[in-house]
Amino acid sequence: MKLLEDRYGRVATDLRVSLTDRCNLRCSYCMPAEGLEWLLGDEVLSDDEVVRLVRVGVEQLGIREVRFTGGEPLVRRGLVEIVRRTKALDPTLELSLTTNALGLARTAGALAAAGLDRVNVSLDTTDAETFHQITRRDRLHDVVAGLEAAQAAGLGPVKVNAVLLRGVNDHQAVELLSWCIERGYELRFIEQMPLDAQHGWSREGMITADEIFARLEPEFVLVPAAEPRGSAPAELFLVNGGPATVGVIASVTRPFCGDCDRVRLTADGQIRNCLFAREESDLRAALRSGASDEDLAERWLIAMRGKRAGHGIDDPSFLQPDRPMSAIGG
Ligand code: SF4
């Protein structure tokens, strides 16, 4: 077993696999209303190719967690089978899914039976009008039904990821947290990152961690949770003495790159050693030209060695990656 170690001594054990760049929502902070030019046909890894690369990561490179993402992974037809085949590689692997939950009410049971352990659901508001304003769709009820189904299927702890947008839903932070606590969902507020397809992100427009606390603290007493954070992106806080918690993922103002254990595989077979990587390593071409598992593993190791210390958003030389978040995955 060789470890995916970078030149700063960080070891990646958490693989994020984007199964598609397509999505059935049009969140304003992610992509334009008309959508994007999607990957076509065999540009996208087949189910067999996905499972093979995950297997190489697990068997040869020390991957211990696999999270399936997108775009929206629930639009990928073979998702349940990919989950089942991944779990069969090693039943102790932790499998999770980042999703907008559209359709989860139908598939939660099958995903749990296939070996999925838990879900992170993206939900920025519980107000139907605001939901439409952000996502350009009237599907809040489907997300709520998906969350309930995930909980009923035992895909927990069910986590909710929320982005606050200035003048849109940032006044609803207290409401969203109360709603999640009442239902036993673990809410994480995420600082908006410069990864949108439109390249419209601005630091001034972003709601910072400090602003998130300022919106919550009039209503909730927040105390840092005792459990060590480790490589987890979220800073956790006990709400009103607990046991409920709330998390803040402050990638921009409180970066956590020093303990990063993540690596990403895109739907078109590229390794990204960081969410903000500007270079990618093409495993798809190697795989399709007959590379052995050992050769694929070696290419992956080389890709990791080039990982930068951090995202560099604060560097004057910072350049937003060409690939948008919708084609990288959370
Ligand atoms: S920005 Fe890159 S290095 Fe930093 S935590 Fe995210 S993936 Fe890791």
Side-chain angles (χ1 to χ4, degrees), residues 10 256-257 260 262 264 274-276 307-311:
R10 297 168 298 186
F256 37 86
C257 303
C260 181
R262 291 165 292 281
R264 291 176 164 83
C274 166
L275 195 50
F276 290 89
K307 183 168 182 166
R308 297 167 195 227
H311 51 50

Side-chain angles (χ1 to χ4, degrees), residues 261-274:
D261 65 350
R262 291 165 292 281
V263 59
R264 291 176 164 83
L265 174 65
T266 66
D268 54 347
Q270 313 300 305
I271 289 292
R272 295 181 61 82
N273 57 29
C274 166

Side-chain angles (χ1 to χ4, degrees), residues 75-327:
V75 305
R76 171 104 185 203
R77 216 167 292 134
L79 174 64
V80 174
E81 205 35 32
I82 289 172
V83 168
R84 191 191 61 72
R85 292 171 65 189
T86 302
K87 198 69 167 185
L89 296 172
D90 177 343
T92 66
L93 272 178
E94 187 185 311
L95 303 187
S96 59
L97 181 78
T98 297
T99 173
N100 64 26
L102 299 190
L104 190 56
R106 278 194 315 280
T107 49
L111 287 166
L116 190 71
D117 296 295
R118 61 177 183 76
V119 295
N120 284 49
V121 170
S122 306
L123 179 64
D124 304 320
T125 176
T126 55
D127 174 75
E129 220 174 289
T130 310
F131 185 92
H132 181 95
Q133 185 186 355
I134 295 174
T135 68
R136 301 166 174 129
R137 299 286 185 274
D138 291 319
R139 303 288 302 272
L140 177 62
H141 54 285
D142 288 327
V143 178
V144 172
L147 281 162
E148 289 165 0
Q151 197 148 33
L155 294 171
V158 173
K159 298 183 180 178
V160 171
N161 293 344
V163 175
L164 295 181
L165 303 172
R166 199 175 296 285
V168 179
N169 64 335
D170 59 325
H171 60 291
Q172 298 174 0
V174 168
E175 188 183 320
L176 186 55
L177 180 53
S178 304
W179 189 89
C180 286
I181 291 174
E182 282 157 23
R183 289 161 182 77
Y185 305 143
E186 296 186 4
L187 179 61
R188 278 101 177 88
F189 289 104
I190 306 178
E191 283 182 341
Q192 191 193 350
M193 292 179 279
L195 287 167
D196 57 312
Q198 312 93 305
H199 288 220
W201 179 89
S202 77
R203 200 175 175 110
E204 302 66 44
M206 179 192 80
I207 298 283
T208 66
D210 289 346
E211 291 178 286
I212 294 169
F213 294 126
R215 280 159 178 71
L216 295 176
E217 280 163 348
E219 296 296 326
F220 301 104
V221 176
L222 303 179
V223 175
E227 66 195 70
R229 180 178 179 182
S231 62
E235 277 179 82
L236 278 188
F237 299 84
L238 291 178
V239 179
N240 295 344
T245 63
V246 63
V248 174
I249 301 178
S251 314
V252 178
T253 62
R254 304 178 177 196
F256 37 86
C257 303
D259 299 306
C260 181
D261 65 350
R262 291 165 292 281
V263 59
R264 291 176 164 83
L265 174 65
T266 66
D268 54 347
Q270 313 300 305
I271 289 292
R272 295 181 61 82
N273 57 29
C274 166
L275 195 50
F276 290 89
R278 295 202 47 77
E279 306 81 27
E280 299 181 338
S281 301
D282 187 353
L283 292 190
R284 181 188 61 190
L287 185 150
R288 290 181 180 176
S289 58
S292 67
D293 289 354
E294 290 66 30
D295 182 25
L296 293 168
E298 196 50 39
R299 289 165 186 269
W300 199 331
L301 286 163
I302 293 166
M304 286 312 290
R305 289 193 200 115
K307 183 168 182 166
R308 297 167 195 227
H311 51 50
I313 293 173
D314 290 334
D315 298 357
S317 63
F318 173 74
L319 283 175
Q320 181 172 335
D322 298 332
R323 188 186 287 263
M325 183 65 158
S326 59

